[in-house]
């Protein structure tokens, strides 16, 4: 069995840092090889070049133009890359906001994911307060966040938080001030309780 772990959440929640911290303990706990696939690492430079050519702003990752034309192809490529690794017996930790896919339950739909029952799927939703997320975004000073910060009221309306049935199967992780015990507990939950059923 190979493992597909999604680490999702809004900007500033600490998804990439968490995923990097999870990688070695998960590989050790399962005895399975894992790769880390971060959307920004895989597609950041490419999308910057495209947006720079189209709008003159290579740092735009939140405008309607980007969301309409580049968002979904980035995620499709991310999943294609994950599936190639899974086919070779290498698990994948996939990092990206994926809020729309969490909201619509697509990450639990094996037909949409195009993965079989031999793949253990886990979906981690990383959360922190809006104020903490904005503080982290400002502190990291990533040019790709400029549009978010200058259009914060617009962006914050897209800050979906799962509730009710949307939480079924989600491993929700509060990344505001986690302890080592919190990280260890998350590793155990991923190993012991992957979401195995398709919607």
């Amino acid at each position: 069995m190979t493992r597909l772990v999604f680490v999702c959440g809004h900007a500033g929640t600490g998804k990439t840092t968490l995923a990097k911290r999870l990688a070695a303990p998960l590989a050790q706990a399962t005895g399975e090889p894992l790769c880390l696939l971060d959307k920004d690492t895989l597609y950041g430079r490419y999308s910057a070049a495209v947006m720079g050519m189209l709008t003159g702003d290579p740092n735009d990752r939140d405008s309607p133009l980007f969301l309409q034309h580049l968002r979904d192809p980035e995620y499709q490529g991310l999943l294609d890359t994950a599936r190639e690794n899974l086919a070779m017996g290498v698990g994948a930790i996939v990092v990206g906001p994926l809020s729309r896919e969490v909201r619509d339950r697509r990450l639990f739909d094996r037909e949409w994911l195009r993965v079989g029952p031999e793949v253990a799927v886990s979906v981690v939703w990383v959360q922190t307060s809006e104020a903490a997320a904005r503080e982290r975004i400002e502190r990291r000073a990533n040019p790709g966040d400029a549009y978010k910060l200058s259009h914060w009221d617009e962006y914050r309306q897209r800050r979906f938080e799962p509730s009710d049935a949307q939480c079924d199967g989600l491993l929700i992780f509060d990344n505001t001030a986690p302890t080592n015990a919190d990280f260890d507990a998350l590793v155990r939950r991923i190993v012991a309780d992957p979401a195995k059923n398709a919607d």
Side-chain angles (χ1 to χ4, degrees):
M1 177 172 283
T2 50
R3 195 168 297 272
L4 176 58
V5 180
F6 292 99
V7 180
C8 317
H10 296 295
T13 56
K15 299 180 299 295
T16 300
T17 301
L18 176 62
K20 289 177 178 178
R21 182 161 181 178
L22 288 173
L26 276 176
Q28 184 175 10
T30 62
E32 303 163 8
L34 285 167
C35 66
L36 177 69
L37 303 175
D38 186 297
K39 183 178 79 73
D40 289 340
T41 304
L42 286 172
Y43 294 104
R45 290 179 185 272
Y46 174 79
S47 293
V50 172
M51 293 306 291
M53 181 180 66
L54 292 176
T55 69
D57 182 2
N59 299 316
D60 174 5
R61 297 294 190 283
D62 291 280
S63 70
L65 179 68
F66 176 87
L67 295 173
Q68 182 177 353
H69 296 288
L70 291 181
R71 179 199 185 274
D72 288 350
E74 283 190 353
Y75 282 130
Q76 290 160 4
L78 191 63
L79 289 173
D80 289 343
T81 306
R83 281 191 294 269
E84 285 190 344
N85 280 277
L86 292 167
M88 296 187 296
V90 178
I93 302 176
V94 175
V95 184
L98 288 156
S99 56
R100 193 180 304 169
E101 290 71 17
V102 169
R103 182 192 64 207
D104 296 340
R105 305 283 299 168
R106 288 181 176 177
L107 302 185
F108 297 97
D109 182 344
R110 289 180 180 275
E111 185 175 348
W112 186 84
L113 290 173
R114 292 173 22 217
V115 299
E118 73 284 358
V119 176
V121 179
S122 300
V123 184
V124 179
W125 179 262
V126 187
Q127 62 186 23
T128 189
S129 70
E130 179 185 333
R134 178 162 186 166
E135 181 183 348
R136 289 177 181 176
I137 291 170
E138 290 172 343
R139 190 168 60 239
R140 71 189 182 191
N142 184 329
D145 293 323
Y147 188 97
K148 262 185 212 71
L149 291 172
S150 62
H151 299 79
W152 189 260
D153 285 341
E154 171 194 328
Y155 167 71
R156 70 189 299 272
Q157 293 177 33
R158 301 202 318 264
R159 279 181 52 89
F160 154 81
E161 293 297 339
S163 61
D164 301 327
Q166 293 166 334
C167 294
D168 290 347
L170 277 183
L171 303 177
I172 298 176
F173 186 78
D174 186 342
N175 205 24
T176 304
T179 65
N180 288 336
D182 295 328
F183 286 113
D184 294 343
L186 179 59
V187 170
R188 289 194 298 271
R189 292 176 70 196
I190 293 171
V191 171
D193 191 31
K196 296 180 180 178
N197 299 318
D199 282 344

